[in-house]
Amino acid sequence: MSELPTNYDRRKFLAKTAGGISLASAFPWFDQLARAQQPDEDEHFFIFVEMSGGAHFMLATDARDPSLLPLEDKSRCLPFAISDQLPTSVDYDQWQKDSNGSITSEEGSFIIQPYIGDMASSYKVGKTAYTVNGVGYNGRYALGPSGLVLEPVVNDMAVIRGVRMRGTFHPKLEIFAGVQSGAGRHIAGSLAKILQEDSRYGGPKLLDNIVFEAATTGVDNAQLTLKTNRVDGQSLASLIGFLGEDASSKRLFNRAQKITEALSRGAISGEHRTILAEYITAVGDAPSLAEQLKQLTFQNEDYSLSLEKQFQAALTLIQSGLSRVVTLCLGAPNGKNRVDGFGLFDAHSGMFHLIPGNSSSENTQRHHLQLGKAMSHITDFIKLLKSTKFKQTNKSLFDVTTVVVSSDFARPSNLSGNEGFPDSAGFAFGNGHNWRNNNYILFGKGVQGGAWIGENDPISQWANFVDFSTINTPDVSRVQMPTAIGADGRYTGEQQDTGLTRTFMVKDIMKTLFAVAGHEKKFEQYHSSTTAASTGRQQQQVPLLLGPQGS
């Protein structure tokens, strides 16, 4: 079979098919797809996870150490027992009185410290254990009630705390592009394009840069970044459903046949019709690939609320040779998953409790439960990657896959927010936006597990500055992080957040990932247009996170 032209428009190919799958950029040869069972031993895969709506990481990987808090001072701190019981208006009135008017303070002079059962069992403070060039070091971690499930894997993850985002409200694209507008280049597209051109990895894959469940991505220059292949569970099932034997699979295959018939009527060119036929044939000619795809039980399930199922899909696409870079999105609103506002973690009411009779946002009420579920899926996925052999090599999938998890903004744990209350409408309760303190979780190939870095003021939770002149050290305890909070408990000002003394930025994470991929020099080529213009300073990667494979 001759190589397909690279200039046809795949976006139109299935633009109106089941579930809205949209394929773009160049296919590999389809006979190569059929043989795509043995990728090179040096292969490198990337998975990005967008936790839509703003996760409250204070409950998970960025918990406050209770020993550092004035728990007895009612004007500074509210120990709050999470339960199903809705707080009363009397409770709210008392908190307002005790906090001396700090209820809506964006500066965080009043902190809510939530716990389940008792404070001691809800928070875990400890040290990680990691090794760099044969030398052992310790990092420090603090886990909250939603993050306790991460304790078995704290030595496998690197966590960057206190990452500043430019937007104060749903930066969205900024999470993996570094800019708030829709014109930015998503790092997944950049890395996918670079890895396709890297001779070590054998060229493109059919679904490189696949975006799952409505993650926010943007591309402003197709010459530099690979366009996305947008897909959801139902539309992907329409393409692979013919592999099964049950009635549902046959219905999906019939639907795919109808798509082909529609193409044959001239809606799309004959070339695209041939592409679909070749794709189906190639998958059928790759028995192990077909067997792996059969394990995906998409059918009509809503994958938007299950990170576990999305991880399963990503892993299958990677193992089957279809994808190298995958972006997942947990909890994007789709009209049927009953989430509040902008996503699963965007609780406008019921942050810590249940709101009677409000089923329209039932999945975002009791925020800590959904966050805890997501953290447990991360733990399980790390264990699965480490226990799964990568093809016929001596490596595990953990050794060849880099995973990055973050949310589109953080939440403060003070009384800032816009949560309504039945007897006190508009009363603020812990669901505002803390744009100076986001968290990134990284693990896998090229990441130094155990190197948790970043500190925040115990009360305000705002990120401390980082002295980047001290960051080139394998010992995280030697990185200098001067406080960004003045004596009055307020942020000391943007004018100090410059040069080598500043907070972590999203672009620091991105440049680090370029280094993990072995293509640090290409960062400026792909992202300099937004780096200099947006920040006025040179971005630096966080080299202490790089493991031995991240050269």
Side-chain angles (χ1 to χ4, degrees), residues 75-285:
S75 67
R76 302 294 303 281
C77 186
L78 169 66
F80 177 73
I82 300 176
S83 71
D84 288 328
Q85 184 65 41
L86 181 70
T88 67
S89 59
V90 175
D91 294 328
Y92 276 117
D93 291 340
Q94 184 62 47
W95 296 337
Q96 184 176 19
K97 177 181 178 181
D98 290 340
S99 65
N100 293 325
S102 300
I103 295 167
T104 59
S105 172
E106 289 284 352
E107 307 301 327
S109 57
F110 186 80
I111 184 173
I112 298 172
Q113 183 74 357
Y115 63 93
I116 302 173
D118 63 87
M119 191 71 71
S121 61
S122 292
Y123 291 86
K124 175 71 174 180
V125 178
K127 290 185 177 181
T128 60
Y130 64 98
T131 302
V132 179
N133 296 327
V135 180
Y137 299 97
N138 287 314
R140 179 182 177 278
Y141 68 87
L143 299 174
S146 300
L148 294 176
V149 290
L150 291 170
E151 188 175 6
V153 295
V154 293
N155 295 322
D156 297 310
M157 301 187 303
V159 178
I160 307 177
R161 296 167 288 195
V163 179
R164 175 188 164 195
M165 308 188 87
R166 298 185 192 92
T168 58
F169 185 72
H170 297 290
K172 288 192 172 297
L173 188 64
E174 185 179 7
I175 181 176
F176 291 127
V179 294
Q180 190 174 1
S181 70
R185 299 184 185 114
H186 196 281
I187 189 173
S190 302
L191 292 179
K193 183 71 174 294
I194 290 171
L195 294 176
Q196 281 191 355
E197 297 169 350
D198 192 322
S199 60
R200 292 174 295 176
Y201 304 134
K205 304 213 179 262
L206 181 67
L207 294 178
D208 263 352
N209 195 24
I210 188 168
V211 173
F212 204 66
E213 297 295 342
T216 54
T217 61
V219 175
D220 67 345
N221 190 330
Q223 299 301 314
L224 287 178
T225 59
L226 190 68
K227 291 182 179 179
T228 58
N229 303 308
R230 289 188 174 276
V231 69
D232 60 25
Q234 294 182 37
S235 56
L236 187 57
S238 295
L239 289 182
I240 67 175
F242 69 92
L243 296 168
E245 300 297 332
D246 59 13
S248 177
S249 294
K250 292 179 180 178
R251 285 195 299 270
L252 290 170
F253 183 46
N254 289 336
R255 194 169 189 177
Q257 286 181 317
K258 290 181 179 180
I259 294 170
T260 305
E261 292 170 1
L263 299 179
S264 69
R265 292 194 295 269
I268 301 180
S269 71
E271 181 179 68
H272 294 102
R273 182 172 68 254
T274 301
I275 290 170
L276 178 59
E278 292 280 1
Y279 169 66
I280 293 176
T281 301
V283 174
D285 288 341

Side-chain angles (χ1 to χ4, degrees), residues 56-57 59 124 135 155 167 178 241 251 255 322 333 353 372 394 397 480 505 527 536:
H56 199 325
F57 277 113
L59 297 169
K124 175 71 174 180
V135 180
N155 295 322
R251 285 195 299 270
R255 194 169 189 177
L322 289 174
H353 45 263
N394 293 323
L397 281 171
Q480 299 299 307
M505 304 287 290
H527 292 276

